[in-house]
Amino acid sequence: MTTLFIADLHLQTEEPAITAGFLRFLAGEARRADALYILGDLFEAWIGDDDPNPLHREMAAAIKAVVDSGVPCFFLHGNRDFLLGKRFARESGMTLLPQEKVLELDGRRVLIMHGDTLCTDDAGYQAFRARVHQPWLQRLFLALPLVIRRRIAARMRAGSKAANGSKSLAMMDVNPQTVTAEMERHRVQWLIHGHTHRPAVHELTANGQPARRVVLGAWHSEGSVVRVTPDGVELVHFPF
Ligand code: LP5
Ligand code: MN
């Protein structure tokens, strides 16, 4: 049994090499897996399922082909594509998951999430997140013409880049107490997430026992995947 996890591909028309790498991954390793979990930020920015961007149609078809080949694909939202909705899920065959989910893999409980909610030292981001996760604001945004939504998203991206320039690296990483608290609340010894773009396998203590936090890498110049098998977990990088 092999379960695959990926995150932070940030797919966009302007980065065709990443798209090509993802398509190769879907046609290759993903087909031999038992399940594929995408832990958010699959897309650079998502402004609604009604965006006619041809890249979205192409990605939906490629993911659907994996699902149709017998490999279930699951998606949980990142901070860039939290508006990805039921329509795209249906088109791609992916199952939408809540923002935190505990999986039972080979008798082991594994917590998965995007990872942004662990960055609790970043008060500015958490306030921003709380605001844009309000259902009424999302409904309002999604009712706007696409051209306006695109402009707002670009403003947000610019604001985010400017804000990040003045934040310390430590502030933009996960808060260790929040990590332990989440793992204890869910009674897990393994946590897999993305978002920070700092791929690593961290050993820690949770629930009074050895625990592990696996951080996926972003797909900038190479692919990043976590494989969970009965033998354990491995974080692997591969060229596009
Ligand atoms: O994304 P990244 O890597 O740059 O940084 C993130 C955090 N930033 C964000 C913001 C996103 O990049 C914006 C995505 C747009 C999605 C589509 C639009 C949907 C709109 C829906 C409306 C209901 O997530 C960043 C973190 C960093 O990760 C590390 O964890 O620090 O957080 C911020 O930068 C938040 C800032 O601290 C404050 C926010 C500035 C945004 C300014 C908004 C102005 C918009 C005006 C529009 C009218
Ligand atoms: Mn992210």
Side-chain angles (χ1 to χ4, degrees), residues 6-207:
I6 57 173
D8 301 297
L9 286 82
H10 295 271
L11 296 174
Q12 53 183 315
T13 314
E14 294 75 14
E15 295 281 358
I18 303 176
T19 303
F22 182 49
L23 289 173
R24 259 195 297 278
F25 169 80
L26 290 178
E29 178 167 12
R31 302 281 175 120
R32 299 186 294 275
D34 292 284
L36 170 65
Y37 288 84
I38 303 173
L39 305 187
D41 288 0
L42 174 61
F43 293 99
E44 171 71 0
W46 194 265
I47 56 169
D49 292 3
D50 56 338
D51 184 344
N53 188 338
L55 174 71
H56 301 175
R57 307 285 78 75
E58 192 190 352
M59 295 303 99
I63 296 168
K64 184 75 169 46
V66 176
V67 174
D68 289 345
S69 79
V71 182
C73 294
F74 302 88
F75 176 85
L76 56 81
H77 293 112
N79 58 299
R80 304 287 193 87
D81 50 16
F82 57 88
L83 288 178
L84 191 149
K86 289 191 184 122
R87 181 165 148 189
F88 187 79
R90 211 175 311 120
E91 187 184 347
S92 62
M94 293 194 296
T95 302
L96 292 183
L97 299 177
Q99 65 179 34
E100 294 181 357
K101 173 89 184 157
V102 176
L103 309 177
E104 293 270 355
L105 299 176
D106 311 305
R108 186 193 296 280
R109 287 168 61 80
V110 180
L111 175 60
I112 57 171
M113 59 176 73
H114 179 57
D116 56 327
T117 52
L118 300 170
C119 302
T120 49
D121 293 335
D122 192 343
Y125 171 64
Q126 295 304 333
F128 171 81
R129 186 180 193 279
R131 215 166 302 140
V132 296
H133 275 259
Q134 297 175 102
W136 70 267
L137 190 60
Q138 295 190 355
R139 271 197 303 276
L140 184 71
F141 178 82
L142 291 171
L144 294 170
L146 275 163
V147 50
I148 308 282
R149 278 184 263 165
R150 239 174 246 129
R151 223 175 284 157
I152 293 174
R155 288 265 292 278
M156 286 182 172
R157 291 290 308 118
S160 181
K161 276 184 198 154
N164 290 359
S166 61
K167 290 178 191 174
S168 70
L169 281 176
M171 189 202 268
M172 287 193 285
D173 203 351
V174 301
N175 173 290
Q177 284 80 36
T178 305
V179 167
T180 314
E182 280 294 290
M183 294 182 78
E184 296 188 342
R185 188 164 72 83
H186 289 284
R187 293 173 288 107
V188 298
Q189 298 313 111
W190 282 20
L191 165 63
I192 303 175
H193 70 84
H195 182 66
T196 60
H197 302 188
R198 299 177 209 201
V201 180
H202 299 274
E203 307 289 341
L204 65 149
T205 302
N207 305 293

Side-chain angles (χ1 to χ4, degrees), residues 1-6 25 28-30 32-33 35-37 105-106 110 190 192 201 212 214 216 223-239:
M1 169 115 174
T2 302
T3 309
L4 302 179
F5 301 85
I6 57 173
F25 169 80
E29 178 167 12
R32 299 186 294 275
L36 170 65
Y37 288 84
L105 299 176
D106 311 305
V110 180
W190 282 20
I192 303 175
V201 180
R212 206 170 256 185
V214 184
L216 285 153
S224 178
V225 62
V226 163
R227 300 184 191 132
V228 174
T229 65
D231 297 335
V233 60
E234 52 178 349
L235 171 63
V236 180
H237 292 96
F238 56 90

